[in-house]
Amino acid sequence: MKSEFEIAVFPGDGIGPEVVAEAIKVLKTIESKLNLKITINEAPVGGAGYEATGQPLPDASLDTAKKADAILLGAVGGPKWETIDFSLRPERALLGLRSSLGLYANLRPARIFPALVDASTLKREVVEGLDLLVVRELTGGIYFGEPRGIDTNEKGERQGFNTLIYSEPEIERISKIAFDVARKRNSKVCSVDKANVLEATGFWREVVINMHSQYSDIELSHMYVDNCAMQLVRNPKQFDVILTTNMFGDILSDEASMLTGSIGMLPSASLGEKYAMYEPIHGSAPDIAGKELANPLATILSVGMLFKYSFDREEPNRWVEEAVESVLGQGKRTADIMSEGMMQVGTQEMGDLVVAELEKIN
Ligand code: IPM
Ligand code: MG
């Protein structure tokens, strides 16, 4: 098995650099536990990329990504860049990485840690034991469809428009991912669309059904996105794998994250044929940046996913989850998951606590 790796690290903006620093501590701990040699190549993207080169995704950063075995990203964006041209906004870096690297499959697991059941805004019986996975299509749909833009119509009125479009191969490959991962879980896929209104997602449903003929062992159901949004807070444990489009997946994964107590807890993996990128699902939270308030756990858990999917090592992912569970079990909480009777810790301390737990695991 390969034991030397290169990782591209893009800390990004806001709390990105803080949470990535803690994730790197965890990565290094696992590196020495497993006797690996991991080279880290850091580069600016997002607002940081724009400040350094005038481009949110500098060519050199994209090259760093392409040379790496895996990419770890913090978060991008901030008020400083909200007024610049759309094509130069920090978010373009993320979208550019996803499309240039062909990262079409976004896996966003929402699992509740037993110690955090009471941090959820929902009742214990609704969320206890929750373990679902959102499989979000990431390089197509309305995020990338053409035509797009803002112009003036025949009546002289300004108008904005985007295009929701999916080709058959795009739907087939993401369905395949969902069915394949479901096989390693509870063998249930719920495909989420708006087939009653949008032709593009009616087509989505048709293609998912066709693909399902190769997966008779998987139970497939369909749900409209509005109903899914409701079911996620009514009875989220009915779901195993949720398969959905780019925009619906964006929205539903934020919703799913809150079931687990905080958006600061959810990792993600974005996979393509050749490349893979790991990042927390939360944003750059500029309001709390630099205040030791950010929760590094989503990024730390993303490192676990990196070992699992890119380095073909399942164990570190389990170790990281166990370490996080023990730290939470000790009552240690960052501000976002703080509750009465618990002990609040800062970003760096949370990272150190996870490392200390990892070091105890043989
Ligand atoms: C996410 C984020 C991004 C998205 C933004 C920052 C472009 O919300 O990864 O969920 O919409 O995909
Ligand atoms: Mg989002």
Side-chain angles (χ1 to χ4, degrees), residues 91 94 98 108 136 143 250:
E91 290 75 11
L94 207 47
R98 290 171 182 171
R108 299 188 156 184
R136 169 189 178 194
Y143 270 52
D250 178 44

